[in-house]
Amino acid sequence: MPRFLHTADWQMGRTYSRFDTEDSAALVEARYEAIERLAALATEHQCDAVLVAGDVFDAQTVADRTIRRVFNATKGFSGPWIMLPGNHDAALAESVWTRAKRLDAVPDNVHLLLEPGVIRLPEQGMAVLAAPLTQRHTYGDLTAPFNQMETPPGLLRIGLAHGSVQGVLPEDIDSTNPIAPDRAATAKLDYLALGDWHGTKQINERTWYSGTPEPERFRNNEAGYVLIVDIDTPGATPQISRHKTARYQWHQWQESFSVPSDVDDLLNRINQLPEASVLDIKLSGTLTLAGDQKLTEALAIAEARFRSVTCDRSKLQLEPTEDDIAELQADGYLGEVVQQLRETQQVSEKDDEAATARDALAILASLLKSKHAGAAQ
């Protein structure tokens, strides 16, 4: 019974400029580790081959070291690796693939499908029909020739392509390259392994997106997995099992505060996350000074615990309560300053001016509390 591992969208060479240097380096390294994990999975589950459905590399201009490291990471599986160019690493006349060959970086068991056609793997019991992208965007269905491609009897017909299944995926995916939703049926494929959608997604019983093995963006689309596919004989229904490969979980939350308990609810949710988390929070609404201090302290702890924590407070207003004001002991001139900052963030039509007033109010409150705490000791 042929068994293979389906993966895609490694995006090797991707950078993370929005993160600081330490976090960016860790996220980059996690992508290499993901390749090593899927190689170990393929060996553990005795797969006959690994199929990579495009976008091995994030760009044509990745460093030579990146190219070498990618192929080095495949060493954990000695069977055939079948790699297809996608829209990020299209098989141009001069491409990342031609550089890889010049570098002599491609192991003997790695097959680069740089041209349309069929690669026969009789020992593995399959024939792979390839639809590589030879330019970043196409407007015709490159899998259409699958209907006429002949394969030896007795071998599974496995399609390998990278693009957008028409009428199924959202419009904001990476590539415009169209694929007919019934291609597996019209081409009599036993399985169609797709890349480009970065989450695991079933189109029909014979057509799947594996998604990227390591998430790289804030989308709730089941990223971070690979698929292991078993097909007993040509024509049999594929049996699909999903295997987690992700190291980091990416979470993006939008929270609106209106009552003090909203802060506690958010902090409870944060505390339930695993340490291998990348968290981005966007806040709006109103918050008391006491709530702001609690939030700031909790986020400082979270920043040391998780891989990355970012928090956008640009839409958040501070609304000191009477208890807040009393605790600050901000009478006289300081009281007037506090009141002015409260009003500025409420009435200013300029976002940056309101944000400056809010931040100044938070800093003033922190300084006054520190001063009173020191005096009490």
Side-chain angles (χ1 to χ4, degrees):
M1 174 173 58
R3 170 182 293 169
F4 57 89
L5 187 148
H6 169 198
T7 181
D9 299 291
W10 295 356
Q11 312 296 146
M12 303 307 297
R14 178 182 285 274
T15 57
Y16 299 89
S17 57
R18 65 170 291 174
F19 300 101
D20 64 28
T21 302
E22 179 183 348
D23 291 336
S24 175
L27 294 173
V28 168
E29 198 62 28
R31 306 197 74 75
Y32 292 103
E33 294 170 357
I35 300 175
E36 294 170 352
R37 281 193 291 276
L38 67 87
L41 269 173
T43 297
E44 175 188 350
H45 290 269
Q46 299 181 330
C47 292
D48 296 296
V50 173
L51 275 58
V52 191
D55 282 359
V56 171
F57 299 98
D58 192 54
Q60 303 285 3
T61 55
V62 299
D64 289 353
R65 180 172 184 267
T66 298
I67 295 173
R68 289 191 171 96
R69 288 197 66 191
V70 166
F71 291 110
N72 286 344
T74 67
K75 290 188 298 184
F77 177 67
S78 60
W81 293 76
I82 315 300
M83 295 188 179
L84 184 86
N87 59 309
H88 283 258
D89 54 9
L92 311 176
E94 175 61 28
S95 69
V96 62
W97 304 105
T98 56
R99 278 201 294 135
K101 289 182 175 181
R102 284 200 301 272
L103 292 169
D104 197 25
V106 185
D108 292 338
N109 64 324
V110 175
H111 304 268
L112 306 183
L113 306 189
L114 306 185
E115 297 179 355
V118 178
I119 176 173
R120 296 165 179 80
L121 301 171
E123 292 184 8
Q124 288 72 33
M126 65 183 71
V128 179
L129 291 68
L133 285 167
T134 56
Q135 58 191 44
R136 187 173 176 87
H137 296 297
T138 61
Y139 298 94
D141 186 346
L142 297 183
T143 67
F146 287 178
N147 293 3
Q148 285 75 46
M149 289 183 183
E150 296 184 358
T151 56
L155 298 185
L156 300 179
R157 284 173 62 87
I158 309 298
L160 191 61
H162 189 91
S164 169
V165 175
Q166 298 301 284
V168 176
L169 300 180
E171 296 179 356
D172 59 348
I173 63 170
D174 284 346
S175 173
T176 57
N177 308 298
I179 296 174
D182 61 347
R183 182 59 61 209
T186 60
K188 296 181 173 57
L189 300 177
D190 293 292
Y191 184 82
L192 178 54
L194 297 178
D196 194 35
W197 180 249
H198 284 205
T200 302
K201 188 174 184 63
Q202 180 181 8
I203 304 302
N204 53 54
E205 66 177 5
R206 298 186 184 276
T207 306
W208 285 72
Y209 285 95
S210 65
T212 180
E214 181 67 32
E216 86 293 2
R217 62 182 71 171
F218 295 106
R219 279 187 180 173
N220 184 22
N221 64 350
E222 298 296 317
Y225 296 89
V226 298
L227 303 175
I228 291 181
V229 183
D230 288 288
I231 307 177
D232 287 339
T233 58
T237 301
Q239 303 300 311
I240 315 296
S241 59
R242 189 174 69 163
H243 298 262
K244 185 176 181 179
T245 51
R247 177 175 181 183
Y248 294 112
Q249 296 182 12
W250 291 54
H251 303 275
Q252 189 171 58
W253 297 343
Q254 295 189 16
E255 307 292 330
S256 180
F257 294 149
S258 58
V259 295
S261 61
D262 290 339
V263 176
D264 295 325
D265 291 343
L266 173 62
L267 299 186
N268 287 335
R269 289 175 60 201
I270 291 175
N271 289 334
Q272 293 172 12
L273 292 176
E275 293 185 1
S277 291
V278 178
L279 178 60
D280 179 70
I281 309 172
K282 300 182 186 300
L283 299 178
S284 61
T286 60
L287 192 61
T288 66
L289 291 181
D292 182 68
Q293 184 176 23
K294 179 189 290 187
L295 176 66
T296 299
E297 292 173 354
L299 289 178
I301 294 172
E303 287 172 357
R305 178 185 169 201
F306 300 132
R307 176 69 273 162
S308 175
V309 177
T310 55
C311 183
D312 179 2
R313 305 191 192 193
S314 62
K315 302 298 183 182
L316 186 66
Q317 288 192 1
L318 295 184
E319 290 288 349
T321 64
E322 295 302 323
D323 290 340
D324 288 332
I325 300 299
E327 186 177 352
L328 293 179
Q329 302 176 32
D331 46 13
Y333 173 72
L334 284 177
E336 294 177 3
V337 172
V338 169
Q339 184 60 31
Q340 183 178 357
L341 291 173
R342 292 175 66 184
E343 294 175 355
T344 299
Q345 67 169 350
Q346 292 172 354
V347 303
S348 176
E349 296 181 356
K350 299 179 180 178
D351 290 342
D352 56 346
E353 189 174 274
T356 300
R358 183 195 62 249
D359 293 343
L361 183 56
I363 292 170
L364 177 58
S366 178
L367 290 173
L368 288 174
K369 287 185 178 182
S370 297
K371 176 184 177 181
H372 299 327
Q377 293 178 353

